[in-house]
Every structure is written in C-alpha cells, then in structure tokens.
Amino acid sequence: MIERKIRVLIAKPGLDGHDRGAKVIARALRDAGMEVIYTGLRQTPEMIAEAALQEDVDAVGISILSGAHMVLVPRVLDLLRANGQEGVCVFVGGIIPENDVPSLINAGVAQVYGPGTPTTQVVEDITRAVLQQAQV
Amino acid sequence: MNVEHDLVESVVAGKRLPLARLLTLVENNAPEGLAALDQLFPHTGRAHLIGVTGSPGSGKSSLVNQIALALRNPPSGKAARSVAIVAVDPTSPFTGGAVLGDRVRMRDLAGDPGIYIRSMASRGALGGLARATTGVVQALDAAGFDVVLVETVGAGQAEVDIARLAHTTLVIEAPGMGDDIQAIKAGILEIADILVINKADHPGVDSTVRALRAMLELGHPTHLHNPVASGTPLWIPPVLQTIATQSEGIADLVEAIDRHTAYLHTTGAWQARDRSRLQTELEQLVQVELNNNWRASVPPEFIQETLAQVETRQISPYQAAKLLTHPLPELHPG
Ligand code: B12
Ligand SMILES: Nc1nc2c(ncn2[C@@H]2O[C@H](COP(=O)(O)OP(=O)(O)OP(=O)(O)O)[C@@H](O)[C@H]2O)c(=O)[nH]1
Ligand SMILES: [Mg+2]
C-alpha cells in the first residue's frame, strides 16, 4: 500500500529569533497530517537548501520577522533551483511589508502571509499547491 | 529504458537528489522504490550500521552530531568516514502528522558533502523505528556511506528492533535515573553494546555509572548480543560518560565503537548479525506476503460466517483459524 505524506521544511533564516510563528505553523501542519521538518533558528540559505534536498520536501516554509526577507528569500529560491528542486513550493510568512510582496511572488514564492493569518488558510494553500505540483 | 535502472545508477554513483527521491519512494512503499531496492541490494552490506537509542531528551541527537563530527574529522593518520544519519521521530497517532526536530541538534554538520541527514516519521510503527527504516538504511548503504547512524524514537524502553538492525547499538541515558534503573536495566542491558551516560555535567553521574556497571558485572544475557559459538571472547558493554554539548568524552566513545567493530570482525559476529538480521527481515516479509495472499484468496463472506460461528460459540477461535487456513484455498486467478 502506498502511503504518501506531504513533507514540509519550516526554516528560520538569518539572525531573527522570533520563532513563535514558525512553531505555530509547524504544529498546524502536523495537525493537518503533514510531516514537518523543523531545523531551528539561524539557518543560512545554504543550510535551508541542503536540508530541503536531503529531506526531499514538497514545500519549504520560511518565517522571517527581521526585515531581511529581500536578501534571504531569493537566495533560497536560487539554491533550490540550482539543486534541481524548482518544483518545491516556497511559502513565506512573518513581517513582510506590502510593497515587497509582488517582487517575492515574482521571484517564485507561492504565497506570503502576515500576522494574524489563520493557520487553516496556510494548510489549505500548501495542500493545494503541493497536489497541483504533483500533477505536472 | 527503465526508470529504476537510472535511479539505481545515480544512487550508486553518489548523486544526492536521486538518493533523496529514492528514500521518499521507499518510505512511501511505492513499487518503483521497492524495485530499485531489489537492484541496489547487491551493493549493500558494506556500511557499519550504528543504532542510537535511549530515553527521550537524553541527548541522542546531540551525540549523533558529535559522533558524526568526530568521524568526519579523525585524528591524523586515520581516514575520514562518510556518514548518513537517519533520525526517527514519532508520528502523532491522532493526526498522522509529525514534527521532526532532530536536525536542530545537527547544525554543525551542515555544508559537509560527506554527511547526509534524513528525518523519518515513525508512521504508526511501534518499537522506535518506522516500517521503512530498514529499506532506507539499505539505500544509504548502497549509496556508499561508510557509517549509517540510526536515531530511534526516544521511548526509554528496550528497542529490540534497532538492536536487530544495527551492528553496534548505543544506549544513551542521562544521570539521575534513580529507581528507574531497575525498570530499564532488563531491556537496555540486553540490547546495549555500549552504554553512554550523557549529560555527565549533571549531578548523579557517578552513582548512575556505578549502578549500571554493577548490573553488568552480575552477568548479562548474551544470546541476542553474541550469536556466536561459545568459546569466543564475550563483549562486555563498556559504560562511558559524555557531555555532548561540550564535545566531552566523544573520542573515547568513537574508540569504543571501533573496538566493538573489531570485535565483531574477529569473532565472526558481524556475519552472524548480518545473517540474523536478514533472517528476521525475510520472515517478516514472508508473513506479510502470506497474509496478503490469504486475504486475497478467502471470500470475505466466508470469514464473516466463520466469525459468526465463533461468536455464537459453535466453534472455538482455534478451530476457526484452522478452517480458514487449512488447506490454503487456491488463489483466484487474476
Ligand atoms: C513576540 C515578539 C518578540 C519576542 C519573540 C519571542 C519568540 N521566541 O518568538 C521577543 C521579545 C524575544 C522579541 C524580540 C525582538 N523583537 Co519582536 N516582536 C514580537 C511581536 C510582538 C509578536 C511576534 C509574534 O510572536 N507573533 C505571534 C506569531 C504567531 O505571529 P507571526 O510570527 O506573525 O506568525 C504568523 C504569520 O506571520 C504567519 N507566519 C509566520 N511565519 C510563517 C511561516 C510560514 C511558512 C507561513 C506559511 C506563515 C507564517 O503565520 C503565523 C500565524 O498567523 C512582534 C510584533 C507583531 N505584532 O508581530 C514584534 C516584532 C516582530 N519584533 C520586532 C523587533 C524589532 C524585535 C527586536 C529586534 C527588538 C530589540 N530591539 O531588541 C528583538 C529581536 C529578537 C531577535 N533575536 O530576533 C519588530 C520587527 C520590525 C521589523 N521586522 O521591521 C516587530 C514587528 C515589532 C515592531 N512593530 O517593531 N520580539
Ligand atoms: N547539560 C547538558 N545538556 C545536554 C547534553 N546533551 C544534550 N543536552 C541537551 O538536552 C536536550 C535534548 O537533547 P537532544 O540531543 O535533542 O536529545 P534526544 O535524546 O535526541 O531527544 P529526543 O529525540 O527528543 O528524544 C537539548 O536541549 C540538548 O542541548 C549534555 O551533555 N549536557
Ligand atoms: Mg533527538
């Protein structure tokens, strides 16, 4: 019997110590039946891409509240592509100014979430994106 | 052209993305994954499989991190060994999901191409491993890693499954177990090749070590451990102290692992363990196969009718089982 599970890496890049949001999301995804790999704080984009590869995840969720998203997120996307993981869906959450959202989406991020996002929304979006990706 | 063949070639050649995808296929019990494992099997049998088990929070992941660092950076004159790590965490029985957090303690290993870390959820299996862990370990063995470290779910009980899978089993405990020692000794002394008291910076280390040594001297069961003819030297599990967070005691631990490896080779226990592991695996697979065949061959109504007869006490469960299995009915064609 094939038993497929959605695998998601939840990462906190940079020196940002705000980890409540990442943990809330990790737990919500687990409660939705996903397998969540949590790597802890202070990850470099290289560490995130390496973990995404070794764990063969379907999605990467990046939580940033420090303001460094415009540097860190595109770097992660580049590394994922360089590793042949362009099919991995990338989600970003935290404190992301409205103005930065379009360029993140342009760079390849699937969706950006701010404070107060209901976790049910995140679960729904990730599930849909991963299933869609599996069909291409 | 077949896909498995390409996958197998890439994995044996040490390519990372194909290996990662293969591990997922194996974990999901997908037919392509199992077919690839068939072809990879001749490439297995080389890696040293080391199990790491022990109570929750005793420092298994921190020690795995330290052991891997030591194997990657050996003292001069010794060769570095490549290391794969399989870290198993529990699946929630309520939601089927899991948070796999062992990597948090292994950040020192990032960026090293001689390291591969894979997290696994137990997916309902009891006994500290996932059902697919054996297959995942086989794939990593075939991919050419010198050492495969397997961290079990922290259950604090005798993890017989890991002792069967591994050549060398480390049991990690923290000091201050007090009365618990009595409870755990039976199990851990049977499976431990090396006992590690981690968190030696905490109080109570000496008494914990003393208590464990005393139990070991009382004589420990040797059947599971030493499946070799009597007359060969016995392996008495050493009791070591470490402080994983300060890299203390790690060199001694790695030295003990190497001594155990040498012991396995000189006594023939390496082959004996290999054989008994394969035998267990084979028997389990045969059981699954037989069970599947049986289910496919017996009409569900027949099972229901028989069950009804048991319920109404016309026949015993034992008679019912005989009725349902003897003679094994013909398989339905197609
Ligand atoms: C709590 C808090 C702290 C706590 C953090 C505790 C912890 N372990 O997390 C403490 C007190 C330690 C702290 C410290 C600091 N903080 Co502070 N902190 C906050 C505060 C008030 C709430 C953050 C929080 O936990 N929210 C609750 C969680 C659940 O919400 P969330 O993280 O937003 O997550 C939700 C969504 O964003 C989204 N999401 C988040 N991540 C992800 C990931 C994925 C994959 C997905 C899908 C969704 C998602 O879903 C979540 C659920 O809805 C915010 C202000 C605010 N209202 O956001 C400031 C805030 C983030 N902090 C700020 C600052 C400046 C700091 C300090 C630098 C202050 C200082 N000068 O020392 C330090 C830095 C600490 C460090 N090392 O990084 C600023 C950041 C400014 C900026 N980015 O431009 C903020 C915005 C306050 C402000 N208005 O100035 N902080
Ligand atoms: N003081 C002290 N703390 C330690 C030591 N080793 C590990 N720790 C800490 O103990 C906690 C648990 O360590 P882990 O390595 O995650 O333990 P584990 O056995 O893998 O835990 P599970 O996988 O959850 O069962 C962490 O906070 C570590 O930093 C040690 O030698 N001394
Ligand atoms: Mg652990």
Side-chain angles (χ1 to χ4, degrees):
Chain A
M1 204 201 357
I2 299 181
E3 36 169 343
R4 198 170 153 7
K5 296 265 177 180
I6 295 178
R7 285 168 70 85
V8 185
L9 179 74
I10 295 293
K12 285 277 326 161
L15 300 178
D16 176 13
H18 297 92
D19 60 359
R20 283 195 202 157
K23 286 182 171 163
V24 166
I25 295 298
R27 232 164 291 143
L29 298 180
R30 176 200 61 190
D31 292 345
M34 300 183 198
E35 292 180 353
V36 182
I37 295 108
Y38 184 67
T39 54
L41 295 172
R42 293 170 194 253
Q43 301 283 305
T44 63
E46 285 74 15
M47 290 162 92
I48 295 172
E50 182 181 51
L53 179 82
Q54 294 178 348
E55 302 287 356
D56 189 32
V57 292
D58 303 293
V60 173
I62 304 175
S63 182
I64 311 190
L65 287 78
S66 66
H69 48 274
M70 294 308 282
V71 182
L72 296 170
V73 173
R75 181 91 187 113
V76 172
L77 290 163
D78 285 346
L79 289 166
L80 286 174
R81 271 183 219 117
N83 286 344
Q85 285 195 297
E86 51 281 323
V88 170
C89 313
V90 177
F91 294 83
V92 176
I95 306 291
I96 313 290
E98 201 71 41
N99 288 341
D100 293 341
V101 175
S103 52
L104 289 178
I105 300 284
N106 254 337
V109 170
Q111 195 67 256
V112 178
Y113 304 91
T117 309
T119 55
T120 45
Q121 171 85 50
V122 173
V123 166
E124 229 173 78
D125 292 351
I126 292 186
T127 308
R128 186 169 350 98
V130 168
L131 293 183
Q132 238 164 40
Q133 185 62 40
Q135 276 159 14
V136 282
Chain B
M1 190 64 265
N2 86 49
V3 187
E4 279 102 64
H5 185 73
D6 287 356
L7 188 57
V8 166
E9 297 235 306
S10 314
V11 167
V12 173
K15 299 214 174 100
R16 287 303 165 92
L17 187 57
L19 172 61
R21 297 209 162 130
L22 170 65
L23 298 184
T24 305
L25 291 171
V26 170
E27 207 182 358
N28 291 346
N29 208 22
E32 311 94 284
L34 302 181
L37 275 189
D38 290 343
Q39 295 186 41
L40 283 170
F41 191 70
H43 298 276
T44 64
R46 248 199 64 240
H48 183 194
L49 313 182
I50 303 177
V52 180
T53 189
S55 305
S58 55
K60 296 180 292 298
S61 302
S62 308
L63 270 177
V64 164
N65 178 53
Q66 291 293 336
I67 294 168
L69 273 181
L71 294 173
R72 295 301 297 145
N73 306 287
S76 61
K78 293 193 87 179
R81 283 172 265 182
S82 57
V83 182
I85 295 167
V86 180
V88 188
D89 272 325
T91 293
S92 156
F94 304 106
T95 65
V99 174
L100 314 174
D102 292 316
R103 282 187 93 101
V104 173
R105 311 278 166 224
M106 303 181 191
R107 49 176 299 133
D108 297 337
L109 306 176
D112 181 346
I115 295 273
Y116 188 102
I117 308 172
R118 182 72 174 218
S119 313
M120 280 187 95
S122 63
R123 296 196 180 178
L126 306 170
L129 300 176
R131 190 194 36 72
T133 302
T134 307
V136 162
V137 168
Q138 269 174 15
L140 292 165
D141 184 351
F145 289 96
D146 298 319
V147 173
V148 183
L149 283 159
V150 182
E151 176 183 342
T152 73
V153 173
Q157 271 156 26
E159 306 291 13
V160 178
D161 289 354
I162 189 64
R164 285 217 184 89
L165 176 65
H167 296 109
T168 303
T169 302
L170 316 186
V171 175
I172 319 296
E173 292 299 339
M177 299 179 292
D179 298 339
D180 300 349
I181 285 190
Q182 291 305 324
I184 58 176
K185 69 166 183 187
I188 65 173
L189 296 191
E190 274 178 62
I191 65 161
D193 296 307
I194 298 170
L195 269 162
V196 182
I197 309 305
N198 186 44
K199 306 199 185 183
D201 51 331
H202 284 189
V205 194
D206 292 340
S207 63
T208 306
V209 169
R210 247 194 326 271
L212 285 171
R213 287 222 171 99
M215 282 175 212
L216 284 169
E217 273 159 25
L218 282 176
H220 61 102
T222 53
H223 49 276
L224 186 67
H225 258 264
N226 297 300
V228 278
S230 56
T232 48
L234 275 188
W235 174 262
I236 308 289
V239 182
L240 304 176
Q241 299 180 32
T242 56
I243 308 175
T245 43
Q246 297 168 32
S247 314
E248 266 187 50
I250 308 305
D252 286 349
L253 174 53
V254 171
E255 197 261 339
I257 292 171
D258 287 342
R259 256 190 305 124
H260 187 251
T261 316
Y263 162 83
L264 292 176
H265 283 302
T266 53
T267 56
W270 181 282
Q271 283 85 346
R273 281 191 183 204
D274 197 45
R275 192 181 319 115
S276 91
R277 170 161 39 88
L278 293 172
Q279 184 180 345
T280 309
E281 191 185 345
L282 179 61
E283 282 171 8
Q284 282 167 352
L285 291 172
V286 168
Q287 273 179 28
V288 170
E289 258 327 90
L290 283 177
N291 193 41
N292 289 347
N293 289 349
W294 175 76
R295 285 227 171 259
S297 66
V298 184
E301 316 83 70
F302 184 40
I303 301 179
Q304 287 309 316
E305 281 162 24
T306 313
L307 181 60
Q309 286 182 289
V310 177
E311 247 182 292
T312 53
R313 270 48 185 188
Q314 294 168 37
I315 57 173
S316 75
Y318 186 76
Q319 288 170 310
K322 287 250 180 246
L323 204 61
L324 288 171
T325 54
H326 283 286
L328 257 181
E330 296 264 314
L331 281 180
H332 293 309

